[in-house]
Amino acid sequence: MKRYLIIILLILAGAVAGFLYFAKDEVAFTKESPLYKAVPLSVPLFLEADGLKAIPADNPVVIELAGIPGFNNLLNEISGIQSVIESEPEIQKQLGKRPVVLALDFVGKNVLHPVIIGNLKSAKEREGLELLIEKLTGISRTSFQKRNYNGYAIIDVFDSDGNNELSYSVAGNLVIISPEVILVEKCIRQLDVPGITDNQYFNLVNRTVANQSELAGYINHRRFPELWADLLNSTTKQQENEFGETDRINLKRDVLKIKDYASWSELDLSFHDNRLTLNGITAADDSLNHFLSVLQGQEAVSCNADRLLPKSTSFYIGFSFSNRDLFFKNLENYFVHSEAYYNREEKIKMMEQNFRTDSREKFRSLVKDKVLAAITTVPTEAEMGSLLILNGQSGKESQEVFEGMLTNYAKRKDSELESLVSTFRSSDQQNYRIYQFPYPSLPGIWLGGAFDFVRARFAAFRDDQLIFASSKEELEKYLDDMDSGETLRTDSDYETISRAAESKANLNVYGNINKLYALRHDLFSSEINKGLEKNEAVFRKFNAISWQVVCENNIYFNALNLGYQQKAKNDVRAKWQCRLGAEVALKPQLVINHTNKAKKEIVVQDVNNQLHLVDADGKIIWSAPISGKIMGQIHQVDYYNNGKLQYLFNTNEKIYLIDRNGTSVANFPIILKSPATNGVNVFDYNNNNQYRYFVACQDKRVYAYSHEGKIISGWSFDKTSGTVTSPIAFFRVSNKDYIVFSDENQVYIQNRRGVMRVNSSAKFAPSANEMALNTQGVPKMVTTSRDGDVFYLFFDGKFAQKKTGKFSSDHRFKVDDINGDGKPEFVFIDKDGLYVFNEDGDKLFEEEFDNNLLAVNLYAFTATQKMIGLTDTNENEIYLFDAKGKQYDGFPLNGNSEFAIGQLQNGGPLSLVVGDEDGNLLCYELE
């Protein structure tokens, strides 16, 4: 009941002052409100609302938020209040048209509760208020109980069980309402002592409230971290640093350290069709050692993150400044007066002993006007990728300074500089020197806690920038991305939200919410995570957030934008993204890397007929043009029987065999006698790497090629009556070999010489689906007819027909034991529907989609659990269902191709690789 009343209180915050929603004339928003006098000094946050219309119920963002049960209850209660107002003229008449304050304050063990402060002018208005509370709570006014407190009357509202559900007091011309009587009493006591209206910093921000603002928020930075602390993960993590110390990281504890960020902030909330915005100012003072005062005396400067950071960026924070020396002077002054001073000085002293120089001065000299720190990849298990970028004066001079520091370090360790240096050539053929850096914690030590997340283990120069990265692989990927133009400006989420951002600022923060979603368990408490996961579909539509602070004449202006898109972008767990330049044309395949079998690779063709080999980290190893679209599967073969693997596949014109470097092997490619109608299949009868290649062609012949690519004279099959479109199959059952294929008229079951081995008694028109072997029970081949009947073809010529449902001739079919019951299940997709049946033809479940589906694939997660994968290319979404029709957590995800699932690294998590509509190859880690 109390939780319900809190929702009512949120509504009262917009109603108790007169319900401006129904007012026909415009009412000015009061700037100097006596309501502030009752706001306790301890509140971390309070809102001032201009009536019910402060929340526009018809706004697309608000409508989306209505999908969250709690917010939906809020909107429903607004509707309920509107009904009460319309039906009770006395309420409309008695309550004036005035703003109202909703404050949040701590009660007990730091539990937040609301208190509402409004304005009443007469006893009649008080009667109207009592009537409103009675209507909303359903509790009769006759049960309200009155008592005295500090000279004012407090009225307690009890339910039928005697529980105090609500308390309010009319103190002078103020009305104070809360579900916690302690807060009502606290507000009453506040009236008699100096409060926020006596605080110069609050008054500074309050004077700037926009005239047209209908909803303003005030943040008390001294207490605001305590509000955040209750939302964050309280687990303590330990890690050893380079100084031999154990760092203990506890977000709930560490967030309390930012209480000296500033004094007060005021932010005006505005609703737009594609975003929410908060604009206002922050008051900070260097005499109080507020962190924000490090920007004092600066002019706004362009951040240029869109050209300095890669497209894979999930988050960044950066400082931009017009006066470098003043910025670092202010920064050092802040640290001198902070709790972290002595610990920081000790670590800097240890670095300087090894660098044999004033490291602060040297690093400062490497900076021109900005520093940026970024998170790139956010894997579910491994360390996240991070970058630190110093925008320098001159690349050559900066490199000499940096190498001088590392040379001194190497000498201290009885080594040479070159022992710390390696070389790298990017995909654009640019050469870079990569330095191993000995102090990964430098960013946080030098620039402060906001940069603690960066691990600076390796460094390189590119143009005038010095880039530090968390790993050598991360740095190499960054250099590749920059050289190929894969910058942040090409990211659609960033591009959309940057349109609403300031072009110049001093503090810039950006987060791609979908990419950062994978960090939710690390960041937030279990209670918050339950809410996030329960309402995941809604939260994913809020794709990005940006926050900027602009210093202008020593006043700090804030601009915060929360981006919204009606179609969710669900790449929340994308480990990496690889730019192919064109959409994927066929299912990506995970293949063995014979040079490092612990890591797999991905081979994929795009719609421009480029074949790409991509490594496990998303880097393109090579790309090669192919004469046409690859038909069917790409096979790995050991052609030379030496452990080195090649790729064999066909287009409609040729059979290709290429090695891991993208080069053709032996006398391949082979030109086909007639255009192929299916994908080539590869058989190794004796498991000795002496292969046979089978392909069907438009001349209705099935061709068999030898290991060397020559037509086998011993294969005597003549012609089919129709066109073979599915791959030729090879089955070995009871020590007998069967070569099986079908056209639109019949099924052919031959021996290795092409002679009929089984004359099946089943007479039906086969579908274009691939023939499957099922060994559960009596071994049999399984396929479907063109209208969707399932046929079991036994190796003695008999058959069994299974009725399921009527499907079109274009249906797709898979058969396997997907639920581990020892019996096969039948999986169909047809147009926009998924249908799953048991062996008896009983429907287990079905799903209907908005568009026709591309294909259906089955994926083995365990020995007894298989998942069903689908793709909706029109929506750029992929789906994964279990045997009961439940969708896998986090799906649908972005993707418009068939997808592969498997381990990219031995012992690692399952990865899913798929193409998207923007010409990217995406890799997700499945939890």
Side-chain angles (χ1 to χ4, degrees), residues 384-400:
M384 63 188 182
S386 57
L387 301 166
L388 174 69
I389 298 175
L390 309 183
N391 188 48
Q393 304 272 12
S394 166
K396 184 177 180 181
E397 293 178 8
S398 296
Q399 190 165 359
E400 290 175 356

Side-chain angles (χ1 to χ4, degrees), residues 637-644 646 687-691 707:
V637 299
D638 184 356
Y639 185 81
Y640 293 108
N641 200 22
N642 61 0
K644 295 182 180 181
Q646 298 81 35
N687 295 319
N688 60 357
N689 297 334
Q690 291 297 306
Y691 303 105
H707 179 86

